Amino acid sequence: MKKECCGLNFVKNILNVFNIIFLLAGVGVLGVAIWTMIDRYQYVTLLASLTYPIIVYFLLSAGALVILVAFMGCYAVLKEFRILLVVYIFLLVLIFLIEAMVGILAYIYEENVQTELEMGLNNTFLTSYMIDDDVTHAVDFLQEKFHCCGAVSFTDWQHSRWLQTHETDNKVPDSCCKTVTERCGTRDHPSNINYTGCLDLMALHMEHHLYILSAVGLGICVLQIFGIVLACKLYFKLKNSYAVDDPHDRRTFI
């Protein structure tokens, strides 16, 4: 009994340590998701698929759920509440599946984002700029941030719907300029505008960020395995402890 009691306390302490680490990991995951939404989400309207926003929203949900479950786990351990411990284990498995999906999806999408942008980015630039406000804002933001112009080259803008339907002296959007000022896009000389296309720069940027999301998702999955094993171990130790203390205790059968 003394050995069993020490074993029980040891598992409880280890699981509490895990919950603290798990809580910090959840705050980190939530922080990465929020950072992605604030700093990188301007590009979403330029993507042909919804894969990227789906990854971000799942990561955001998982981060919030991790924080909730970590507090639940601490309470279940403190009170030796086995029913809540079962719920805790179930939620750990659920988070494991969500994070695994995020990690795998981000990794797969990282391999395909270049192809997606090659197929759709130029068309988005040429057909939606100054037509769709969200796309216009995203294109201007992209061109200013990466100091680029057009999807493949600054000459792409010569075929754009914007120049064909709007009365303007501009040859490229003002956001193409090295120093952005009103109507600076009337001159397309290399001393005035950026000649590099945005496609490769955006693809490289997206691939790097997707690698981070994949690493975060799969990294949390590894952590989850330890939590699931420890929680199951504690569950059965509590059950055995109640059975020894009082075989007729109703908690023995839960």
Side-chain angles (χ1 to χ4, degrees):
M1 279 297 297
K2 183 177 180 181
K3 182 179 178 180
E4 181 65 25
C5 180
C6 292
L8 176 62
N9 289 333
F10 177 77
V11 175
K12 287 173 63 177
N13 291 333
I14 292 296
L15 190 54
N16 276 329
V17 172
F18 166 81
N19 281 319
I20 293 172
I21 297 172
F22 194 44
L23 176 63
L24 296 176
V27 172
V29 169
L30 196 62
V32 169
I34 293 173
W35 166 62
T36 300
M37 294 185 70
I38 294 174
D39 189 54
R40 313 298 169 108
Y41 218 62
Q42 292 91 336
Y43 313 128
V44 169
T45 53
L46 302 178
L47 300 174
S49 72
L50 295 175
T51 307
Y52 186 73
I54 287 173
I55 291 172
V56 175
Y57 281 122
F58 269 110
L59 193 66
L60 184 68
S61 302
L65 191 58
V66 164
I67 294 173
L68 175 65
V69 171
F71 282 113
M72 179 188 295
C74 289
Y75 183 79
V77 172
L78 179 65
K79 298 296 184 180
E80 298 186 357
F81 195 179
R82 285 172 50 216
I83 294 179
L84 189 59
L85 200 58
V86 171
V87 176
Y88 172 73
I89 294 170
F90 171 79
L91 291 176
L92 283 180
V93 173
L94 178 62
I95 296 171
F96 174 85
L97 295 175
I98 293 174
E99 294 289 359
M101 184 193 70
V102 167
I104 294 171
L105 195 60
Y107 178 78
I108 294 173
Y109 189 52
E110 178 193 349
E111 300 294 317
N112 295 286
V113 68
Q114 174 82 31
T115 303
E116 178 183 317
L117 290 174
E118 288 175 353
M119 294 176 61
L121 188 62
N122 194 40
N123 182 64
T124 302
F125 271 46
L126 299 184
T127 61
S128 300
Y129 186 76
M130 285 297 182
I131 307 299
D132 184 309
D133 290 339
D134 290 336
V135 171
T136 300
H137 175 73
V139 169
D140 286 337
F141 178 84
L142 182 67
Q143 293 189 145
E144 290 186 39
K145 182 178 178 65
F146 291 108
H147 308 290
C148 56
C149 186
V152 179
S153 168
F154 75 99
T155 57
D156 294 341
W157 289 112
Q158 297 174 7
H159 312 288
S160 66
R161 184 179 175 187
W162 161 59
L163 286 184
Q164 294 171 1
T165 59
H166 289 70
E167 294 183 3
T168 178
D169 295 329
N170 277 34
K171 295 180 180 179
V172 294
D174 291 340
S175 55
C176 284
C177 298
K178 293 181 178 179
T179 302
V180 179
T181 56
E182 188 176 355
R183 295 175 56 78
C184 64
T186 55
R187 290 181 62 245
D188 59 359
H189 192 271
S191 64
N192 185 53
I193 69 168
N194 300 297
Y195 271 29
T196 307
C198 297
L199 194 152
D200 289 337
L201 294 172
M202 181 177 176
L204 184 64
H205 177 77
M206 293 291 294
E207 287 169 2
H208 176 71
H209 191 62
L210 285 166
Y211 175 79
I212 294 175
L213 297 182
S214 177
V216 169
L218 296 178
I220 294 295
C221 282
V222 175
L223 185 64
Q224 297 284 102
I225 296 172
F226 291 102
I228 293 169
V229 172
L230 287 170
C232 290
K233 184 77 172 176
L234 178 60
Y235 174 85
F236 288 111
K237 280 189 172 293
L238 287 173
K239 184 174 182 179
N240 293 337
S241 176
Y242 290 137
V244 172
D245 290 342
D246 186 355
H248 302 291
D249 192 327
R250 63 182 182 84
R251 293 175 294 183
T252 303
F253 306 101
I254 299 176

